[in-house]
Amino acid sequence: MRRMRFRRLQDQFAGHLMAALTVFAASLVLLIAVALLMRARPLLDIKPLGQLLTSSDWRPLHGEFGFLPFIAGTLWVTGLAMVLAVPPCLLCAIYLAEYAPRRLRETVKPLVDLLAGIPSVVYGLWGTLTVVPIIRDVITPWAGKRLDFIPLLHAGNPTGYGVLAGGIVLAVMTFPVIISVTEEVIRAVPDGLREAALALGATRWQMVKGVVLRRSLPGVIAAIVLGFSRAFGETMAVMMVVGNVAQIPRSLFDAAYPLPALIANNYGEMMSIPLYDAALLAAALVLLLVVLVFTLAARAILLRAVRRAV
Amino acid sequence: MSDPVIQIRGLSVAYGNQLAVRDVSVDIPARQITAIIGPSGCGKTTLLRSMSRLIELVEGVRVWGQVLFHGQNIYDPRVDVTEIRKRIGLLAQRPFTLPMSIYENVAYGPHLHGLRKRKALDAIVEKELRAAGLWDEVKDRLHAPASALSVGQQQRLCLARGLAVEPEVLLCDEVTSALDPISGQRIEARLLELKTDYTIVLVTHVLRQARRLADYVIFMYMGELIEHGPANQVFHDPQEAKTRAYLKGEFY
């Protein structure tokens, strides 16, 4: 009888404990956002958020805190990374899931997953020691001669540090996420569906394109969003190769200064400047909000795709 | 007996080191329903799937011998396998509708093979949905997702989809086993109608279904072909002891 009551108490306690922990984990985003908001208040009280987001005037000593160059830098680097990463990653995942023999897949997959475990500072070093010199010594001079007439490719920055270097490093960092998740999503498509297409006389590529990808589209979008989130908030590796100049990039070769780099480089330094602390925390808040908006938008797209396709 | 459409010669199939079909030679008569019967695990599905090379989708499978389709060996490396599968269709055990609308499911096959004209596709969709006995139930919602149909309707949709590429042979793999009795009867009725135009090979583990449908019967046991012949003969005067035992229900 007594034993019975103890077990019931134990059960209730475990239930409550797990519920409390779940609530805590779920409310973390909210707690962080509120804390950032409180700390950014001193700046937000004098400058409306709209003005901060659209101004490109960054002169902390004069009390001007325009976030536009940093937001633009983040979007440029992340956007380029996705353009570089998504097509090869999808083809790679399709190959691994649909074409590669099992032995090959079982060898390659862990190698790709290993990429995810490499610390970002190592990617930053690779960027500094390999990517930047190649851009500086090979790509920029070549583009200066041949492609300079395209505004997007104007080679105005000879250092090699810039959007291109950041985009390449970030693209490689998102490879394992996108490949891994996409491959798994594709392999979750039932074999009966593949057989149905092939039995009608489809070639393997027709089957993949028309049936398998169509069925797994929501999952593929989720994989891309996951890669995007990884790229968006990535700090260290990007900071080491993008040049960190507070300007709106006009060309792939220009230096940029993404939001995470701004925060990491400056927090703890120059804190005697009035409102600087509030400005950096407002930047963090903006970063958080942008990631949130993108994730929610992606989820909305996902839900619509699911409803349409299945 | 009419001319054989498919002639199987010395066919053996192995998964890894496990022989699933052992040296089978048999002819499939044209425009009749041929039922492959036998206890589960006897190799009947493997035999069926080797008739359009779908067996090759299984990793590690090996095939020996020949399957002649109008005299040509479909395992000849020079043969275009997509052309073979267009002419030898499959209706699977469970309906796998493609992730698209009812209309697109039927139009998918002809579209694959290059038909783009809307009018022609419309005509095929209606004709094959009628042939599969589904037209009246779906004509008002052709562009609804196929997944919204009941399982029985989905199986008839798969039948229409298979017919739309105008195959000569229809391979049916226990096509009623996932269906309720009424839906199963509907499929059976369709198959009986279709045999005037198509050669049908049917795998079934339901003896009564074989008795209802089959014109020709192949009995397999442990990967070997034990006996084959016209349905009347095999059911009423089996030559082999194993066939007699199976028909009497001594094993399944």
Side-chain angles (χ1 to χ4, degrees):
Chain A
M1 193 61 207
R2 202 175 191 151
R3 174 101 192 117
M4 187 74 190
R5 198 181 309 150
F6 175 70
R7 275 172 55 192
R8 208 163 64 209
L9 277 176
Q10 200 180 26
D11 182 51
Q12 280 177 354
F13 175 74
H16 289 310
L17 181 68
M18 288 186 281
L21 286 172
T22 308
V23 169
F24 174 69
S27 57
L28 266 181
V29 178
L30 207 66
L31 288 177
I32 292 174
V34 168
L36 288 176
L37 187 64
M38 305 268 277
R39 295 285 298 271
R41 274 300 282 281
L43 180 65
L44 294 177
D45 281 341
I46 25 176
K47 302 250 168 148
L49 189 62
Q51 191 192 327
L52 290 172
L53 292 181
T54 52
S55 159
S56 52
D57 194 4
W58 180 261
R59 283 179 299 162
L61 287 171
H62 298 82
E64 295 294 344
F65 298 100
F67 289 135
L68 192 59
F70 307 98
I71 296 172
T74 299
L75 292 179
W76 266 82
V77 175
T78 314
L80 179 65
M82 295 320 280
V83 168
L84 292 178
V86 169
C89 282
L90 293 192
L91 293 177
C92 180
I94 291 170
Y95 175 75
L96 283 179
E98 295 291 333
Y99 289 83
R102 206 177 69 212
R103 289 264 302 279
L104 181 70
R105 181 172 65 232
E106 283 169 0
T107 324
V108 172
K109 193 80 192 302
L111 290 179
V112 172
D113 288 340
L114 265 185
L115 278 179
I118 298 176
S120 68
V121 67
V122 175
Y123 281 102
L125 282 177
W126 169 69
T128 315
L129 299 176
T130 311
V131 179
V132 169
I134 290 176
I135 293 174
R136 183 185 62 214
D137 301 334
V138 183
I139 301 179
T140 310
W142 181 79
K145 263 184 272 169
R146 301 291 170 79
L147 303 170
D148 212 34
F149 60 94
I150 308 171
L152 211 63
L153 298 175
H154 171 64
N157 166 23
T159 63
Y161 288 91
V163 172
L164 185 57
I168 292 173
V169 170
L170 264 188
V172 174
M173 293 182 74
T174 59
F175 276 9
V177 182
I178 303 183
I179 293 176
S180 229
V181 177
T182 306
E183 192 260 357
E184 244 145 69
V185 164
I186 292 177
R187 290 222 299 139
V189 172
D191 281 336
L193 210 55
R194 293 188 178 85
E195 188 184 69
L198 293 175
L200 293 167
T203 62
R204 188 127 62 143
W205 176 239
Q206 284 175 321
M207 176 268 288
V208 168
K209 192 167 56 107
V211 176
V212 174
L213 281 185
R214 194 159 168 161
R215 172 70 174 261
S216 49
L217 185 68
V220 173
I221 295 175
I224 294 173
V225 170
L226 224 58
F228 178 87
S229 319
R230 161 119 214 228
F232 206 87
E234 175 52 39
T235 311
M236 182 51 85
V238 180
M239 195 164 86
M240 291 167 75
V241 297
V242 285
N244 300 330
V245 179
Q247 61 179 12
I248 298 177
R250 302 275 169 221
S251 141
L252 285 189
F253 294 102
D254 284 352
Y257 207 161
L259 280 169
L262 169 76
I263 301 164
N265 265 339
N266 296 303
Y267 200 83
E269 319 250 335
M270 304 192 288
M271 296 311 267
S272 53
I273 303 171
L275 292 177
Y276 203 76
D277 166 81
L280 291 180
L281 287 156
L285 185 63
V286 170
L287 189 65
L288 185 70
L289 290 180
V290 175
V291 173
L292 230 55
V293 166
F294 267 95
T295 314
L296 291 179
R299 188 166 282 209
I301 296 172
L302 206 67
L303 285 179
R304 256 183 55 191
V306 171
R307 239 176 270 137
R308 207 162 39 92
V310 182
Chain B
M1 185 172 114
S2 49
D3 287 338
V5 176
I6 293 178
Q7 297 163 290
I8 296 168
R9 292 290 173 266
L11 186 81
S12 297
V13 182
Y15 302 111
N17 295 322
Q18 187 85 29
L19 259 185
V21 167
R22 202 182 294 253
D23 193 23
V24 167
S25 297
V26 66
D27 290 353
I28 308 292
R31 294 203 172 76
Q32 294 191 9
I33 295 181
T34 300
I36 306 177
I37 58 171
S40 49
C42 71
K44 40 189 200 304
T45 293
T46 303
L47 179 64
L48 185 82
R49 270 155 209 261
S50 17
M51 291 185 209
S52 70
R53 287 178 59 175
L54 281 168
I55 199 71
E56 292 175 350
L57 302 184
V58 181
E59 243 186 78
V61 79
R62 283 177 296 164
V63 180
W64 297 268
Q66 298 185 323
V67 175
L68 303 172
F69 178 54
H70 291 298
Q72 187 184 29
N73 180 18
I74 65 170
Y75 285 92
D76 187 323
R78 283 165 301 179
V79 161
D80 177 6
V81 66
T82 61
E83 183 61 26
I84 292 297
R85 291 184 186 146
K86 179 174 177 284
R87 295 172 69 185
I88 304 177
L90 170 84
L91 189 59
Q93 183 169 8
R94 281 181 48 209
F96 280 97
T97 56
L98 304 174
M100 41 188 94
S101 71
I102 295 169
Y103 180 97
E104 288 170 304
N105 259 275
V106 185
Y108 178 77
H111 193 268
L112 273 183
H113 297 288
L115 188 65
R116 294 287 184 277
K117 288 201 194 86
R118 184 76 192 191
K119 278 245 170 69
L121 285 173
D122 285 351
I124 290 176
V125 169
E126 179 169 349
K127 174 173 165 249
E128 304 306 351
L129 283 174
R130 281 186 192 284
L134 191 60
W135 174 253
D136 289 329
E137 291 159 59
V138 301
K139 63 182 176 198
D140 299 323
R141 46 172 175 150
L142 287 176
H143 298 284
S147 53
L149 298 173
S150 74
V151 179
Q153 289 172 321
Q154 287 186 18
Q155 187 65 308
R156 278 178 283 152
L157 179 63
C158 290
L159 178 59
R161 179 180 72 194
L163 295 177
V165 294
E166 299 182 334
E168 286 176 56
V169 180
L170 206 53
L171 306 177
C172 301
D173 186 7
E174 300 199 11
V175 288
T176 58
S177 65
L179 308 182
D180 61 276
I182 307 273
S183 301
Q185 279 172 22
R186 283 194 175 138
I187 291 281
E188 284 188 13
R190 291 298 141 193
L191 294 181
L192 283 172
E193 272 180 35
L194 289 168
K195 76 171 182 184
T196 51
D197 296 315
Y198 299 87
T199 301
I200 294 172
V201 187
L202 176 81
V203 160
T204 179
H205 66 271
V206 184
L207 261 179
R208 275 179 302 175
Q209 182 174 57
R211 286 183 205 271
R212 283 193 296 266
L213 300 178
D215 304 299
Y216 198 82
V217 173
I218 295 171
F219 174 63
M220 308 242 335
Y221 183 71
M222 305 272 281
E224 291 183 52
L225 181 121
I226 304 296
E227 183 165 1
H228 63 98
N232 253 327
Q233 185 204 311
V234 175
F235 286 135
H236 296 117
D237 185 20
Q239 306 297 306
E240 299 290 329
K242 278 190 188 121
T243 319
R244 268 195 297 275
Y246 180 71
L247 291 175
K248 269 194 229 149
E250 285 172 19
F251 55 88
Y252 296 98

